[in-house]
Amino acid sequence: MADSQLLLKRGPFRSTWLRARKTRTQLVLSRRPRRRLGTLRWCGRRRLRRRLLQAQAAGADWRESGCLVSRAATRRPKTAAPSPAPAAAPAPSGPASLPIPPVRPAGPGRALVLLPLEQGFTFSGICRVTCLYGQVQVFGFTISQGQPPQDVFSAYTHSRLTINAVHYSMPEKSKKEMKREARALLRSHLNRDDRCWLMKNFSPLCSIVMLEQLKTPTVNFLVSHPGLSYVFVQESPTFQINSEHVALRSVGIRREKKKNGLRLTESALSAMEELVTVSCEEVDGCPVILVCGSQDVGKSTFNRYLINQLLNSISCVDYLECDLGQTEFTPPGCISLLNITEPVLGPPFTHQRTPQKMVYYGKPACKNNCENYIEIIKYVFSSYKRESPLIINTMGWVSDKGLLLLIDLIRLLSPSHVVQFSSGRSKYMPNLTPDYVDDMDGLYTKSKSRVRDRGFQLAEFTESLEFADEEKESPVVFTGHKLICVQSDFAFRKTPRNRESHNKVLRDLAVLGYLGQLQPPVPKPLCPLHGLTPYQVPFNAVALRIIHADVAPTHILYAVNASWVGLCKILDDVRGYANGPILLAQTPICDCLGFGICRGIDMEKRLYHILTPVSPEELRNVNCLLVGAISIPQCVFKSQHGLEGTIPYITTDYNFKLPGASEKIGARETEETREEKVHPKPKLYRKIN
């Protein structure tokens, strides 16, 4: 008390900055971003000093690290009666000093988490999650005791994941019987000390989770590049080095605040519950769910959560990817159809998968060639068998022509449900009700009234769709859709100025995640890409096509060398040509079997050197190489281990005045590009061997 009185007495003579610095970790001044106190004006400093004195009068001791004063505590109460405390979750039985949830080390690279009912553990990093007792939920997917462990990836590029203890049905038993059952289940997994600790803190309907260290070739390859080690775990100075911190660090994760975890709005949860119910009932067949909305409103997060929720009840979910820039299961620039049977517990670059059908569009956007985009979607959608629910992911381009293109997609794909996201920070988008879609002209289709007046048949637009034999007798009937509006409160840090750079980072991570499949399995060490043996492909075995630009035939090999190439299969036979290269006059709509890097061209032997994770059995069907605007991340060129001397394909002598020299072909010149011209950075060049 004397110390507090002395501090209050010396308050007016102490520096405001020093006093705020001591209370910054204990006192939340406001919800606004923190600003440097040196920039505050006199009235702001006076207001800050008054808040500090009020907090001190409320009982806050700035010299003790265990005290926490909330913003509400710093305000002067309007009445003499204290405000009621918020309702707290039921506390688990056991010592009050344990954190919620308590964590205990269980050997090298392992940790135990005891989760009371309806409590969660938010973390960053990667780990393998095993539910030893009870039932937990991660990103909408339920993990029960006895089920196989799941690999979970909680990255800083997305919202952090939370392991939540959920209610599970259990016959009426006493607490003693529950403990006896839990002790029997844990005997094969834990030693005696760990079991005793768990039983000491045991509470009814709690869940016990084992977290284990996880090493995958893809993650090891990702974090081996400079600047990407922060993606999963960020080290920060901490003064609380306790057993929990050491245990989680040995696993490779870190506890995060609950506010950093994923939070879904009530409307999103309600929409998800309705869609899961419809998908499980199967009264009117398998539902087709189209998710749309502007950029950065949480469409992809909603899709992942919905997939996991559906996999709790059904065995598989079909997924149609129509977003070229931010693809979920493939490298960017693709339109694909996948059959998902495993939960999605991480960002896209951690779960690259082989699609059932895929076409390489070659660009992250379709603003300059929407007609080809529609034709590719028709081609891919024709492979949908209508045996399981279909989720359709669309682009965030919903203004001007993008909205008209979305209306065309709704008419073409005939979804049973349209989930439309909106946010207070996004641009206005009209509600895509069935009446609105019927009355509006699309980019390539006409409204219902104009169809009636002009005699336009919808079959003219969908005549290229190919369905199974049993569906040809009963063609698709466009009966309208049910609109589900979701109000998004999705928190993101993107702005119109940094959105493109942020999206490019995610596209690079997706490409690196795909290339990570080239690495040998753990525990073998990583192998640099230049140390892997490429495939040799003769010039006359494959045809070439540059998708995104017109390239002179004499320069075509310069464009292919050191490029990201789509390995495709066309119907034409290209084996009749003696020499090569074989050039295509038009871009074909064909199956893409995978991707690779053309790491060199041998002009003497007339061979392409292709580095790809595609199996040799699939490579026998490849007869076409497509080169698009999707580029190889620069860290692949500049950060390979084991290189000595001059790094191939990199130079500082780069002329931006040449046609096509800009990174964005056909795009307007930005401030970043103009500054790069004044201060050039190391650039990539392509040289034929």
Side-chain angles (χ1 to χ4, degrees):
M1 186 69 182
D3 293 340
S4 300
Q5 293 177 355
L6 180 62
L7 189 60
L8 181 63
K9 182 178 180 180
R10 295 177 55 188
F13 303 99
R14 293 174 63 91
S15 169
T16 305
W17 167 252
L18 293 177
R19 296 170 61 199
R21 185 178 180 184
K22 286 190 175 183
T23 62
R24 185 167 53 182
T25 57
Q26 291 82 24
L27 180 65
V28 180
L29 298 179
S30 69
R31 295 182 182 270
R32 300 177 182 175
R34 291 172 180 156
R35 297 176 296 180
R36 291 189 62 86
L37 297 181
T39 61
L40 294 179
R41 308 176 99 184
W42 177 82
C43 58
R45 295 184 181 181
R46 184 177 180 182
R47 189 182 303 112
L48 176 61
R49 183 182 295 112
R50 184 168 61 251
R51 288 183 181 178
L52 294 174
L53 293 175
Q54 290 175 358
Q56 179 187 352
D61 191 350
W62 295 332
R63 294 172 300 176
E64 296 182 1
S65 60
C67 217
L68 177 65
V69 181
S70 65
R71 184 187 181 194
T74 61
R75 296 178 179 174
R76 182 173 298 175
K78 295 182 180 180
T79 60
S83 58
S93 61
S97 60
L98 287 174
I100 303 293
V103 178
R104 174 184 172 88
R110 302 203 311 173
L112 284 172
V113 180
L114 181 63
L115 287 168
L117 182 61
E118 297 182 357
Q119 291 290 335
F121 175 74
T122 305
F123 69 98
S124 60
I126 63 173
C127 64
R128 179 163 291 166
V129 178
T130 305
C131 184
L132 302 180
Y133 181 81
Q135 193 173 78
V136 296
Q137 195 173 85
V138 183
F139 211 175
F141 184 74
T142 302
I143 308 174
S144 303
Q145 64 185 42
Q147 290 185 352
Q150 296 293 334
D151 297 344
V152 181
F153 306 85
S154 181
Y156 277 85
T157 54
H158 297 71
S159 296
R160 260 64 93 208
L161 301 186
T162 303
I163 304 174
N164 292 304
V166 295
H167 188 277
Y168 51 92
S169 59
M170 198 171 184
E172 294 185 2
K173 295 181 180 179
S174 64
K175 184 177 180 181
K176 185 176 181 180
E177 293 174 337
M178 292 182 185
K179 281 189 173 184
R180 188 183 298 113
E181 180 183 359
R183 189 181 293 108
L185 290 172
L186 299 175
R187 187 170 289 113
S188 59
H189 299 279
L190 304 174
N191 57 34
R192 180 182 177 85
D193 293 340
D194 294 335
R195 295 199 305 270
C196 292
W197 178 82
L198 288 172
M199 293 303 102
K200 183 180 179 181
N201 301 286
F202 186 86
S203 62
L205 295 180
C206 70
S207 298
I208 302 172
V209 177
M210 171 74 77
L211 306 180
E212 298 177 276
Q213 188 181 38
L214 175 64
K215 295 291 185 181
T216 65
T218 298
V219 172
N220 292 345
F221 179 72
L222 279 170
V223 300
S224 66
H225 295 86
L228 296 182
S229 58
Y230 72 92
V231 171
F232 293 106
V233 176
Q234 292 186 359
E235 295 292 340
S236 63
T238 177
F239 300 100
Q240 298 179 354
I241 305 297
N242 48 25
S243 60
E244 175 190 325
H245 177 81
V246 175
L248 296 180
R249 188 169 184 176
S250 69
V251 175
I253 62 176
R254 173 185 169 192
R255 187 195 285 262
E256 295 283 346
K257 296 181 179 178
K258 186 179 179 180
K259 66 178 182 180
N260 295 332
L262 176 65
R263 292 173 292 177
L264 296 176
T265 60
E266 290 295 331
S267 58
L269 294 174
S270 175
M272 216 164 304
E273 183 179 358
E274 178 180 352
L275 294 174
V276 171
T277 302
V278 171
S279 301
C280 295
E281 288 177 353
E282 296 186 0
V283 177
D284 301 325
C286 295
V288 177
I289 305 163
L290 185 143
V291 181
C292 62
S294 58
Q295 293 179 327
D296 306 323
V297 292
K299 299 190 300 295
S300 299
T301 302
F302 179 86
N303 290 337
R304 296 185 206 111
Y305 204 99
L306 178 59
I307 290 173
N308 294 334
Q309 287 273 292
L310 290 173
L311 290 178
N312 291 329
S313 306
I314 58 180
S315 59
C316 61
V317 180
D318 285 336
Y319 186 86
L320 178 62
E321 182 61 81
C322 298
D323 189 353
L324 297 169
Q326 303 299 328
T327 52
E328 185 67 35
F329 299 101
T330 65
C334 298
I335 296 173
S336 58
L337 177 68
L338 299 97
N339 186 259
I340 309 300
T341 58
E342 298 292 332
V344 183
L345 302 177
F349 50 86
T350 62
H351 50 248
Q352 296 289 297
R353 300 181 183 177
T354 303
Q356 177 183 344
K357 192 90 166 180
M358 178 171 63
V359 175
Y360 185 42
Y361 184 83
K363 290 179 283 188
C366 68
K367 294 184 178 181
N368 298 327
N369 194 357
C370 296
E371 187 174 358
N372 191 36
Y373 174 77
I374 287 287
E375 293 297 327
I376 292 177
I377 291 180
K378 287 183 187 179
Y379 177 75
V380 175
F381 181 66
S382 64
S383 298
Y384 174 51
K385 304 301 182 183
R386 302 177 184 273
E387 297 175 351
S388 55
L390 175 66
I391 299 175
I392 304 171
N393 184 36
T394 60
M395 298 183 295
W397 180 35
V398 292
S399 60
D400 303 329
K401 289 185 178 180
L403 180 61
L404 305 181
L405 186 64
L406 180 58
I407 292 175
D408 286 340
L409 284 182
I410 294 176
R411 288 177 179 156
L412 169 64
L413 305 176
S414 184
S416 59
H417 297 77
V418 174
V419 182
Q420 181 175 347
F421 277 76
S422 60
S423 173
R425 288 173 285 187
S426 60
K427 294 182 179 180
Y428 169 75
M429 180 182 175
N431 290 336
L432 299 177
T433 60
D435 294 337
Y436 180 86
V437 174
D438 290 341
D439 297 337
M440 281 292 295
D441 289 341
L443 200 59
Y444 300 104
T445 60
K446 303 300 180 183
S447 62
K448 223 172 191 180
S449 59
R450 298 187 65 176
V451 169
R452 193 181 304 111
D453 296 340
R454 299 188 179 188
F456 177 82
Q457 298 297 326
L458 202 58
E460 297 178 9
F461 180 65
T462 60
E463 59 183 359
S464 61
L465 287 176
E466 299 177 1
F467 298 104
D469 295 336
E470 62 271 12
E471 295 178 357
K472 291 182 179 178
E473 300 177 358
S474 57
V476 180
V477 180
F478 298 90
T479 57
H481 60 269
K482 180 178 181 180
L483 178 65
I484 302 177
C485 294
V486 174
Q487 183 65 29
S488 173
D489 196 15
F490 201 69
F492 57 91
R493 299 178 181 178
K494 298 181 189 177
T495 63
R497 298 187 64 180
N498 68 0
R499 177 179 289 115
E500 182 57 35
S501 61
H502 185 89
N503 292 341
K504 188 177 186 305
V505 170
L506 295 181
R507 288 195 292 268
D508 288 348
L509 287 173
V511 172
L512 292 174
Y514 185 85
L515 292 176
Q517 301 176 27
L518 288 165
Q519 297 299 321
V522 176
K524 293 183 179 180
L526 289 177
C527 184
L529 296 183
H530 63 81
L532 300 174
T533 304
Y535 293 96
Q536 294 182 350
V537 183
F539 278 9
N540 58 358
V542 292
L544 295 179
R545 176 65 182 172
I546 308 299
I547 301 175
H548 62 292
D550 295 329
V551 181
T554 55
H555 294 167
I556 202 81
L557 293 181
Y558 289 96
V560 175
N561 194 28
S563 291
W564 182 256
V565 295
L567 309 177
C568 304
K569 176 185 176 182
I570 59 177
L571 299 178
D572 299 335
D573 190 4
V574 298
R575 292 177 298 178
Y577 296 88
N579 296 319
I582 304 170
L583 307 182
L584 297 177
Q586 295 180 345
T587 302
I589 297 179
C590 57
D591 293 347
C592 181
L593 306 181
F595 295 91
I597 297 176
C598 182
R599 56 165 295 181
I601 299 178
D602 192 334
M603 294 299 296
E604 294 181 359
K605 297 181 181 179
R606 308 188 74 77
L607 295 173
Y608 305 109
H609 294 278
I610 306 295
L611 196 61
T612 176
V614 179
S615 63
E617 293 76 14
E618 290 289 335
L619 287 177
R620 292 189 182 97
N621 300 321
V622 173
N623 58 359
C624 177
L625 302 180
L626 297 182
V627 180
I630 307 301
S631 59
I632 303 173
Q634 293 193 12
C635 60
V636 172
F637 294 94
K638 298 191 295 184
S639 304
Q640 289 295 308
H641 297 287
L643 289 178
E644 297 180 359
T646 304
I647 303 178
Y649 305 112
I650 293 183
T651 182
T652 55
D653 185 12
Y654 193 83
N655 189 359
F656 281 94
K657 296 181 180 179
L658 294 176
S662 175
E663 291 184 356
K664 300 178 182 179
I665 298 177
R668 291 183 298 178
E669 190 179 66
T670 61
E671 294 182 3
E672 182 180 355
T673 307
R674 287 194 294 268
E675 185 174 344
E676 221 173 31
K677 292 181 180 180
V678 180
H679 306 287
K681 302 176 182 178
K683 288 292 176 180
L684 310 180
Y685 74 93
R686 292 165 183 164
K687 180 180 179 182
I688 305 299
N689 294 338

